[in-house]
Amino acid sequence: MSDEPTVQRSVDGGVFSWFLVTAVIAVMALVVGIIALFSPPGGGGGSAAGEGGAQTVEVELGEMYIEPSSLEVPAGTTITFEVTNAGTMDHDFKIDGETGTDFIAPGETETFEYGPVESTVDAWCTVPGHREAGMEMTIEVTGGSSVAAPAGDQGTGDGGDYAEIDPNAEPAEGFEPHPPELPAAPEGTLHEVTFNMTDKEIEVAPGVTQLLWTFEDTVPGPILHGQLGDTFRVTIVNQTEMDHSIDFHASKEAWNDSMRSIGPGEELVYEFQANYAGIWMYHCGTAPTLHHIGNGMYGAVVIDPPDLAPVDHEYVMVQSEFYLGPQGEVGDLAKMQDDDWDAVVFNGYFQQYKFAPIRVETGERVRVWVVDDGPNENSSFHIVGTIFDTVFKEGTYLLQPDERRGGSQSLDLQPAQGGFVEFDFAEDGLYLMVTHKFSNVGKGALGLFQSGEVEAAPASE
Ligand SMILES: [Cu+2]
């Protein structure tokens, strides 16, 4: 038997009527349940189990629930659904993902008729990720020739034909890595940029694509770079069919102001002054945030500390995970909720700097900024064959060269932490870049530096 509907939440206005309706539904469900309990086993018997009729059911949508979450009706019932969006963003309510309402704006109600129902079905909100986050209802049909609902469908939406990464596959000819270089800070102290928020099918490992949600069609999103005191005026433009937002960790802003979600076609200007040095995560914060980060909406802002020493090369590594959905489709929220990543990557692609090593010269000074954009996994950033003599983490130097001769082997970061390391290579050769949590190396957290000319170097450009 399914759960009985319950009242778990009160809503401004209509609490009483909502309670009444729910109570009525609960009683009906109970009656139907009792009848079913006393029906002969295996039987289509129980003529008392009703032969349909009409019912009106009030449904409430919100973040991230549908109430009631289950419903029992006799076979043959025609249901009039009165669906109200009590949430703060658009939702819909569709039976089998197909029949139902259009997107309903917050505060609005839409009504539709469905039936007569003959077998148990599910209904859910079709905004990507919302079903997995809890916006689902089971309409259980009793009596009649009811067909059992498919059991245990935890749902990617279509049964979980997940894409898989072949660790031995190679990218196609002409593979272009995500540029690892830190972009130079633009002139001036006001940086005006536009981030278009898009859906884009992107290759995340050789032959594996996902429909990612992006800032500016790239994952990670653009790296912003500036100096202390600079102002960033970022216009986000939502070019998708769902709500999105942006949250800059480099700023101090009220969550309900600049970080609010905007709907399809809308724009928002998020302006902040960068008053703290470091490498800062930014990400979409729209619920379920886990899904929006896990499906590509993250990036970094680099604010130089004062008196930053000059170096020969400056790179940025954004570490993150992928939780693959079916090929070419959105990443899987259930996997994200279970910490069940398929890949851990630097700058958005499985082992990409193994395929396209980063070229430096022996003895040159190198700075690598690293941020862990997660959403879930930590990082222990390490380069095989060198020692960091400078480590800056979360706003302060942990290590700088001095007479004590201290060295560092790894920069440890939890999700949403960042810093940089500095080093050089002592001799020509290849140097592996990893997170030293080694189970993740085979899952993509592997790259190469090539120092000087190396015989039989892996193919690069
Ligand atoms: Cu988003």
Side-chain angles (χ1 to χ4, degrees), residues 244-274:
H244 290 299
S245 59
I246 196 164
D247 169 353
F248 284 102
H249 291 191
S251 75
K252 295 172 79 170
E253 294 276 326
W255 174 75
N256 58 322
D257 182 16
S258 301
M259 297 180 202
R260 69 182 182 273
S261 291
I262 59 170
E266 294 183 341
E267 298 187 11
L268 178 150
V269 178
Y270 189 135
E271 181 169 321
F272 65 95
Q273 193 175 30

Side-chain angles (χ1 to χ4, degrees), residues 341-415:
W341 49 84
D342 296 288
V344 176
V345 297
F346 297 123
N347 293 343
Y349 193 95
F350 184 91
Q351 298 186 346
Q352 70 178 315
Y353 304 112
K354 181 188 83 173
F355 301 122
I358 300 168
R359 175 63 196 267
V360 299
E361 299 301 330
T362 297
E364 285 183 327
R365 192 142 180 90
V366 179
R367 175 181 300 127
V368 180
W369 292 85
V370 187
V371 65
D372 184 348
D373 278 358
N376 296 327
E377 176 59 319
N378 61 39
S379 180
S380 178
F381 187 79
H382 172 77
I383 296 176
V384 178
T386 193
I387 292 168
F388 307 143
D389 61 42
T390 301
V391 177
F392 178 98
K393 177 187 169 186
E394 285 292 291
T396 192
Y397 284 95
L398 301 183
L399 178 67
Q400 284 180 285
D402 63 22
E403 68 285 354
R404 291 172 295 178
R405 308 289 300 166
S408 167
Q409 58 205 299
S410 176
L411 171 61
D412 60 311
L413 301 170
Q414 289 293 328

Side-chain angles (χ1 to χ4, degrees), residues 197 213 215 240 242-246 261 283-289 291-293 297:
M197 302 191 289
W213 305 334
F215 296 103
T240 75
M242 61 192 294
D243 285 11
H244 290 299
S245 59
I246 196 164
S261 291
H283 63 89
C284 176
T286 298
T289 301
H291 204 194
H292 287 245
I293 299 174
M297 299 192 82

